[in-house]
């Protein structure tokens, strides 16, 4: 199951902490005033269940961040503190370092769980708003033998002592309600490819042309047979007449011109889609035994 930062899962996550922001809370070793670091962020699963606090151990180990399962923590809203149950400096040194850019996968979580497993966490845990010297004792029994599982069958319920929030360590009873968080994911729906190709065809054009030719006509003159003055007669051999002939030939060339222009653009169509999911809400149940004096400031019936 993928893990998400709490702000990525629910931007209004502060409502789960009575309007406070758990980020930036100081982390103290249980039962002491020794500050070991600060809460950098919170990791939740895909259903919104708290799984880990990301703790910056700047007061113990400079520059190192580690994961602390929520079952090994107690939140003191009054003191604005988070207490690490049973964490020691040696344990912090053995925990694998957390990097903001890394993917928290099964193998990494197993390394984290391996450090916490087998630890007997019996300690004095201060209730909300209670000073350290009046802390309530919360006993955590040694974990039971773990069932056999694989990376594909593992469930957080196998490590309840690591991931269950202990409600008896808080004085406030919180009623939770689920709500739908709608997000939009942009995905590629298709692709249109527009290109050009060249087609060829044979075109014909009619061109009128002119050709010259010689026409020779032999005719009898009207004065045929009439004697001619001998002085005007000039017999010559080899006398010729030259006539030049011309003709037109077709000359064809090609020229390109713009036939059509294609414009490509994108348009965005908007529509509203409906999504539905079953959500849960916790309601308060009050069971009275004996004579009970009700407070005049009790909640209205529609809130019980």
């Amino acid at each position: 199951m993928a893990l998400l930062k709490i702000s990525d899962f629910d931007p209004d996550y502060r409502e789960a902490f009575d309007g406070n922001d758990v980020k930036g809370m100081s982390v103290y070793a249980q039962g002491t005033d020794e500050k070991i670091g600060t809460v950098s962020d919170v990791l939740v699963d895909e259903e919104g269940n708290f799984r880990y606090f990301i703790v910056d151990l700047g007061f113990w180990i400079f520059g190192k961040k580690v994961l602390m399962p929520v079952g090994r923590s107690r939140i003191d809203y009054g003191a604005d503190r988070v207490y690490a149950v049973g964490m020691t400096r040696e344990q912090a040194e053995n925990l694998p370092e957390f990097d903001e850019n890394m993917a928290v996968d099964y193998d990494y979580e197993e390394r984290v769980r391996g450090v916490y497993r087998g630890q007997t966490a019996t300690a004095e845990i201060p209730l909300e708003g209670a000073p350290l010297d009046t802390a309530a004792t919360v006993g955590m029994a040694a974990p039971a033998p773990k069932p056999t599982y694989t990376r594909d069958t593992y469930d957080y319920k196998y490590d309840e002592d690591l991931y269950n929030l202990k409600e008896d360590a808080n004085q406030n009873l919180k009623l939770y309600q689920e709500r739908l968080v709608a997000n939009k994911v942009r995905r590629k729906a298709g692709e249109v490819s527009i290109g050009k190709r060249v087609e060829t065809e044979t075109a014909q054009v009619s061109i009128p042309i002119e050709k010259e030719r010689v026409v020779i006509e032999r005719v009898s003159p009207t004065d045929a047979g009439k004697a001619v003055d001998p002085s005007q007669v000039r017999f010559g051999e080899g006398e010729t007449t030259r006539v030049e002939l011309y003709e037109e030939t077709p000359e064809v060339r090609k020229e390109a011109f713009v036939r059509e222009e294609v414009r490509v653009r994108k348009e965005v169509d908007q529509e509203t889609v409906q999504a539905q999911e079953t959500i849960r809400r916790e309601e308060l149940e009050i069971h009275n035994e004996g004579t009970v004096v009700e407070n005049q400031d009790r909640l209205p019936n529609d809130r019980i």
Side-chain angles (χ1 to χ4, degrees):
M1 182 178 293
L3 296 178
L4 307 170
K5 289 186 176 180
I6 190 170
S7 58
D8 294 334
F9 178 81
D10 182 7
D12 299 324
Y13 68 90
R14 295 173 183 82
E15 295 181 3
F17 296 96
D18 294 336
N20 299 318
D21 194 347
V22 69
K23 296 181 184 179
M25 277 190 174
S26 299
V27 180
Y28 285 78
Q30 60 172 351
T32 70
D33 271 332
E34 182 182 8
K35 184 175 181 179
I36 65 176
T38 56
V39 176
S40 174
D41 216 319
V42 182
L43 296 182
V44 301
D45 61 23
E46 294 175 341
E47 297 178 355
N49 299 310
F50 292 6
R51 294 307 180 192
Y52 298 99
F53 287 112
I54 302 176
V55 180
D56 187 342
L57 297 175
F59 285 80
W60 265 1
I61 307 172
F62 179 75
K64 182 175 183 179
K65 292 182 180 180
V66 298
L67 297 187
M68 180 174 66
V70 294
R72 293 299 175 88
S73 66
R74 297 294 182 270
I75 302 177
D76 187 342
Y77 296 102
D80 197 28
R81 292 182 176 184
V82 176
Y83 290 95
V85 178
M87 180 180 286
T88 64
R89 189 183 184 92
E90 179 182 2
Q91 186 183 57
E93 292 175 349
N94 293 333
L95 284 170
E97 185 172 359
F98 174 81
D99 186 277
E100 296 290 342
N101 298 321
M102 68 181 299
V104 180
D105 55 13
Y106 170 83
D107 294 328
Y108 179 82
E109 286 191 86
E110 276 294 284
R111 293 172 58 196
V112 173
R113 288 188 284 261
V115 177
Y116 288 100
R117 283 172 180 159
Q119 178 189 26
T120 301
T122 303
E124 293 185 351
I125 309 303
L127 295 178
E128 179 181 357
L132 293 176
D133 55 355
T134 60
T137 302
V138 180
M140 298 177 61
K146 297 294 185 295
T148 302
Y149 57 81
T150 65
R151 66 171 55 245
D152 298 323
T153 61
Y154 177 79
D155 195 290
Y156 288 109
K157 66 183 180 180
Y158 295 153
D159 290 288
E160 292 184 356
D161 57 320
L162 297 182
Y163 299 108
N164 275 5
L165 290 171
K166 303 300 185 294
E167 295 296 338
D168 55 354
N170 298 304
Q171 293 180 351
N172 293 341
L173 177 61
K174 297 180 175 61
L175 301 181
Y176 294 95
Q177 178 177 342
E178 294 178 332
R179 62 185 173 191
L180 295 181
V181 180
N183 293 313
K184 296 187 294 184
V185 178
R186 187 177 178 88
R187 64 179 180 86
K188 182 177 179 180
E191 181 177 332
V192 177
S193 178
I194 301 175
K196 298 192 301 182
R197 71 175 186 272
V198 177
E199 295 185 353
T200 60
E201 63 179 25
T202 301
Q204 293 183 347
V205 61
S206 297
I207 304 174
I209 60 174
E210 295 180 351
K211 293 183 178 182
E212 295 178 343
R213 58 187 177 87
V214 175
V215 178
I216 301 174
E217 295 182 358
R218 301 180 70 176
V219 299
S220 297
T222 57
D223 56 352
K226 184 180 178 180
V228 180
D229 187 358
S231 62
Q232 296 180 352
V233 176
R234 294 181 176 84
F235 288 95
E237 184 177 352
E239 181 180 355
T240 60
T241 300
R242 297 182 180 274
V243 178
E244 293 182 346
L245 299 178
Y246 292 91
E247 68 175 10
E248 296 176 334
T249 59
E251 180 181 345
V252 180
R253 61 184 178 87
K254 296 184 292 183
E255 63 179 8
F257 64 95
V258 177
R259 177 176 61 89
E260 184 180 3
E261 181 176 313
V262 178
R263 297 178 181 178
V264 181
R265 69 178 187 275
K266 295 194 299 183
E267 294 183 350
V268 178
D269 296 330
Q270 293 185 344
E271 63 179 9
T272 301
V273 298
Q274 300 292 330
Q276 64 180 19
E277 185 59 74
T278 302
I279 61 176
R280 298 172 295 176
R281 181 179 62 190
E282 296 180 343
E283 295 289 348
L284 186 64
E285 293 185 356
I286 302 177
H287 302 281
N288 297 337
E289 294 183 5
T291 302
V292 179
V293 179
E294 296 186 0
N295 192 328
Q296 296 299 323
D297 296 330
R298 63 189 296 271
L299 293 173
N301 291 333
D302 61 349
R303 296 287 301 277
I304 298 179

